[in-house]
Amino acid sequence: NRENVIISLGEMCKWMGKEAEAAGVDIFAGFPAVETIKDKDKRIVGVVTKSRGINTKGEKKNTFEDSVEIRAKTTILAEGSRGFVTKKVILDYKLEKEPHHYTLGLKELWKVPGSGVKEGFCLLYTSPSPRDRG
């Protein structure tokens, strides 16, 4: 691993979250979405969060927090392709009409000083590399 950098993905995500928030992005971690909000044209314009502080009998505890509507120009469901809300979106928009594979990728754009990065620099997210796992 000469001249490569190994980092903690968790620590990098924390750092990137702070950078995104400093740039004006709202990140709502720890508040699971339970449904999407649609406009009159059936476009997704936000999500409704899950109420918190309800006991096993369905009664509100003193820590109760009601659900909240979060509306945005862009809504990203980051719960994976098997998440509860994502499954509902797939059904509602008939995204599985024909057998196919799909995925969503997000790219990070980093500004780095030209003098601070050596030619051939590579950032690995995993260690050991996935190709080393057989």
Side-chain angles (χ1 to χ4, degrees):
N1 239 350
R2 282 183 226 114
E3 297 187 29
N4 289 321
V5 177
I6 298 176
I7 64 168
S8 161
L9 181 57
E11 292 300 315
M12 186 185 80
C13 288
K14 286 180 197 175
W15 173 81
M16 286 180 68
K18 289 176 186 174
E19 292 291 310
E21 287 176 328
V25 174
D26 292 321
I27 299 174
F28 299 94
F31 295 91
V34 292
E35 65 181 286
T36 57
I37 303 168
K38 297 176 186 156
D39 67 10
K40 62 181 169 60
D41 297 319
K42 297 189 179 187
R43 290 180 295 200
I44 296 174
V45 296
V47 295
V48 177
T49 65
K50 183 178 181 178
S51 296
R52 299 164 59 143
I54 299 173
N55 68 21
T56 56
K57 296 178 184 174
E59 302 164 338
K60 296 177 185 177
K61 301 189 302 189
N62 62 351
T63 57
F64 177 77
E65 294 179 31
D66 205 354
S67 62
V68 177
E69 285 191 3
I70 301 172
R71 295 175 180 264
K73 290 180 185 177
T74 303
T75 302
I76 299 173
L77 300 175
E79 60 175 7
S81 62
R82 300 290 178 210
F84 173 77
V85 178
T86 301
K87 284 182 181 180
K88 180 120 176 57
V89 168
I90 290 169
L91 289 173
D92 289 351
Y93 291 93
K94 298 175 178 49
L95 298 176
E96 289 190 343
K97 286 188 227 178
E98 300 173 14
H100 63 278
H101 298 278
Y102 59 91
T103 187
L104 171 68
L106 299 176
K107 301 249 183 219
E108 305 108 27
L109 299 177
W110 296 10
K111 286 184 184 178
V112 294
S115 62
V117 179
K118 294 180 184 177
E119 185 176 337
F121 172 79
C122 178
L123 175 66
L124 297 177
Y125 282 109
T126 60
S127 179
S129 171
R131 67 176 172 252
D132 294 339
R133 294 186 186 158

